[in-house]
């Protein structure tokens, strides 16, 4: 029997492209909507090449209601996985309007269009950042959302609250809020991976670019935290594990209501531990120097992901060495990301 059709907004991006791949492999039909503001269609060409199946790609903006209405008119969508958004914390402080417009405005427009189309199943990309600075570790879903320290984090919190209110107001909705911890890694083929534009904000893409010779040295933000080696501790998980978590969440959408899950590996690792592991696996030196703390960084947090394990049958299966070996394979094979093949057009592409 044919599996249902899933709309993946932001599906050309880092997590979205890996999730599109896992969905296709699981037999789902996939429609991707992406404005390509932070992605390349080359990622989707490679997804189709790896899986040997086609998806439908629509180049369009999630804030464009007419585009969404056409999309829902043309495709019988079973559920939506909503990745589309802006995610650079520093940029969000400088451009709050752009962040609220895309992340909050985009989500509202999407929900309105879904309502009009009679589609009430939604998986939303949230973040561990919604727990705020005062939550004790490990973070559990039963803890309240905390205060946020930047417009990016606030935008995630606002959308979570909006979706909670929506589910409360209308019993037809089934919504999963997935709170990601720190996704890293790449598809094991080395053909798909994280391709940040400009200077990477996140740790692993930065380390990988140092290893491949694109950057001279890593700046480690802070070595005076109350952690074992003084550097920040995070819960890193493999992007393929994270992608698989979305398939688990889709199965859960059969049941109306609000479902909240942490998706993390449940283990904290420091910045210096990540540097050491990368050096060990890549056999390349990662020069680094210490600098003052980065605004808004917390010393240490990790997930309690037992709820996802019990209710979705999901847990992060891949270990640190796999995460780093896969990141390194991707970076080595694609030192400049997708850029060299950016003009390739994929089949099934249309503009909204
Ligand atoms: P990404 O930037 O690689 O992907 C986001 C995608 O959304 C991009 O392809 C971009 O072109 C697209 N997009 C942006 N604005 C759009 C718009 N208005 N209309 C249509 N498409 C648009 O980021 P990612 O790491 O894959 O993150 C995906 C989602 O997960 C985001 O919502 C992000 O906030 C969330 N998230 C990411 C992390 C992380 O560490 N990567 C952690 C927590 C949450
Ligand atoms: C960051 C965001 C978070 C967002 C996530 C995904 C902040 C404060 N948090 O998470 O809201 O959901 O990215 O986009 O930005 N580090 C360095 N040098 C670097 C880069 C990072 O030392 O060049 C350190 C950071 O200080 C941090 C750790 O590495 O301690 C991980 O950083 P990062 O990968 O940016 O993830 P988060 O800060 O956890």
């Amino acid at each position: 029997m044919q599996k249902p059709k899933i709309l993946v907004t932001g599906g050309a991006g880092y997590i979205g492209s890996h999730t599109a791949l896992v969905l296709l492999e699981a037999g789902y039909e996939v429609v991707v909507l992406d404005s390509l503001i932070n992605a390349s269609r080359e990622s989707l060409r490679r997804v189709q090449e790896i899986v040997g199946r086609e998806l439908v790609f629509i180049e369009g903006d999630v804030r464009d209601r007419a585009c969404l209405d056409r999309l829902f008119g043309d495709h019988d969508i079973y559920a939506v996985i909503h990745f589309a958004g802006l995610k650079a914390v520093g940029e969000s402080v400088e451009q709050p309007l752009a962040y609220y417009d895309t992340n909050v405005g985009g989500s509202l427009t999407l929900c309105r269009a879904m309502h009009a189309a009679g589609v009430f199943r939604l998986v939303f990309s949230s973040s561990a950042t919604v727990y705020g600075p005062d939550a004790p570790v490990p973070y559990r879903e039963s803890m309240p959302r905390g205060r946020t320290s930047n417009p990016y984090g606030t935008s995630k919190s606002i959308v979570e609250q909006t979706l909670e209110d929506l589910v409360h107001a209308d019993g037809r909705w089934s919504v999963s809020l997935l709170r990601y911890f720190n996704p890293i890694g790449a598809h094991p083929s080395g053909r798909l991976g994280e391709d940040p534009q400009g200077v990477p904000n996140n740790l692993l893409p930065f380390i990988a670019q140092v290893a491949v010779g694109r950057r001279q040295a890593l700046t480690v933000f802070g070595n005076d935290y109350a952690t074992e080696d003084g550097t920040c501790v995070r819960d890193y998980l493999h992007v393929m594990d994270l992608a698989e978590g979305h398939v688990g969440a889709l199965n859960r959408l059969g049941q109306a209501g609000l479902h909240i899950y942490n998706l993390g590996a449940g283990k904290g690792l420091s910045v210096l531990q990540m540097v050491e592991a990368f050096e060990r696996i890549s056999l390349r030196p990662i020069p680094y120097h210490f600098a003052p703390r980065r605004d808004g960084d917390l010393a240490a947090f990790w997930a309690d992901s037992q709820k996802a394990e019990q209710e979705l049958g999901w847990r992060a299966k891949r270990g640190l060495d796999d995460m780093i070996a896969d990141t390194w394979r991707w970076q080595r094979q694609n030192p400049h990301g997708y850029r060299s093949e950016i003009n390739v057009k994929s089949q099934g592409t249309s503009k909204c």
Side-chain angles (χ1 to χ4, degrees):
M1 201 184 72
Q2 205 176 355
K3 283 221 176 156
K5 203 179 258 190
I6 311 298
L7 169 61
V8 182
T9 75
Y14 173 47
I15 307 171
S17 57
H18 288 81
T19 303
L21 180 143
V22 168
L23 288 170
L24 286 174
E25 278 180 337
Y28 288 95
E29 301 293 312
V30 175
V31 177
V32 167
L33 174 74
D34 199 301
S35 66
L36 299 181
I37 187 169
N38 279 325
S40 146
R41 52 163 60 85
E42 173 64 10
S43 64
L44 294 175
R45 194 189 67 75
R46 293 187 186 187
V47 165
Q48 296 172 92
E49 183 188 271
I50 294 167
V51 185
R53 285 190 58 210
E54 284 185 10
L55 52 73
V56 175
F57 173 52
I58 297 165
E59 186 178 340
D61 198 299
V62 75
R63 293 165 298 178
D64 180 347
R65 176 65 193 271
C67 169
L68 290 172
D69 287 346
R70 256 198 314 279
L71 190 159
F72 284 113
D74 290 347
H75 298 277
D76 182 17
I77 301 292
Y78 170 79
V80 180
I81 306 182
H82 180 34
F83 293 106
L86 303 175
K87 65 162 185 177
V89 172
E91 187 182 69
S92 80
V93 175
E94 287 154 21
Q95 302 175 31
L97 294 181
Y99 272 69
Y100 290 121
D101 189 36
T102 297
N103 293 3
V104 179
S107 301
L108 297 184
T109 305
L110 175 66
C111 288
R112 287 207 184 94
M114 288 175 68
H115 183 271
V119 179
F120 294 101
R121 300 182 192 91
L122 175 67
V123 177
F124 175 64
S125 296
S126 190
S127 164
T129 197
V130 301
Y131 287 103
D134 304 319
V137 288
Y139 292 167
R140 295 199 173 86
E141 296 87 345
S142 53
M143 294 172 179
R145 277 186 291 275
R147 95 189 126 81
T148 47
S149 57
N150 56 70
Y152 167 76
T154 309
S155 73
K156 292 290 174 192
S157 217
I158 293 173
V159 175
E160 279 208 0
Q161 183 64 58
T162 307
L163 294 173
E164 200 176 317
D165 293 342
L166 186 59
V167 166
H168 183 71
D170 184 341
R172 290 173 295 180
W173 282 90
S174 177
V175 175
S176 279
L177 308 178
L178 301 185
R179 294 176 177 163
Y180 310 157
F181 283 67
N182 289 59
I184 60 169
H187 188 263
S189 64
R191 301 281 293 150
L192 280 187
E194 187 168 10
D195 183 21
Q197 298 182 356
V199 182
N201 297 302
N202 297 117
L203 180 65
L204 257 287
F206 202 108
I207 293 180
Q209 290 191 8
V210 173
V212 85
R214 272 177 72 179
R215 303 196 183 272
Q216 280 193 326
L218 170 73
T219 303
V220 176
F221 299 128
N223 62 344
D224 57 351
Y225 286 98
T227 59
E228 218 159 280
D229 62 22
T231 65
C232 290
V233 167
R234 294 289 180 273
D235 181 345
Y236 297 94
L237 80 157
H238 199 297
V239 68
M240 290 298 294
D241 279 327
L242 181 58
E244 287 165 11
H246 291 74
V247 179
L250 274 184
N251 297 334
R252 181 81 179 158
L253 287 180
Q255 209 175 321
L258 187 74
H259 316 287
I260 307 180
Y261 299 104
N262 287 339
L263 296 183
K267 188 176 174 213
L269 292 165
S270 75
V271 174
L272 292 185
Q273 284 175 314
M274 298 306 282
V275 170
E276 280 158 23
F278 211 101
E279 286 184 323
R280 174 170 55 77
I281 285 168
S282 67
L283 302 176
R284 299 276 175 106
I286 311 291
Y288 64 83
H289 54 265
F290 293 116
R293 294 177 177 199
R294 184 171 71 176
D295 260 2
D297 272 346
L298 301 180
F301 61 83
W302 58 92
D304 179 331
S305 285
Q306 280 184 61
K307 189 171 174 229
E309 180 152 9
Q310 283 159 7
E311 295 185 13
L312 306 180
W314 176 91
R315 69 183 170 80
K317 296 194 292 274
R318 296 156 179 93
L320 178 64
D321 286 12
D322 283 338
M323 296 186 222
I324 293 193
D326 291 338
T327 304
W328 178 228
R329 189 178 304 104
W330 152 257
Q331 189 69 66
R332 224 178 38 225
Q333 291 180 16
N334 309 268
H336 295 279
Y338 294 117
R339 241 133 293 173
S340 52
E341 293 178 65
I342 210 156
N343 290 320
V344 180
K345 230 184 167 0
S346 67
Q347 282 185 306
T349 298
S350 61
K351 276 217 179 208
C352 210

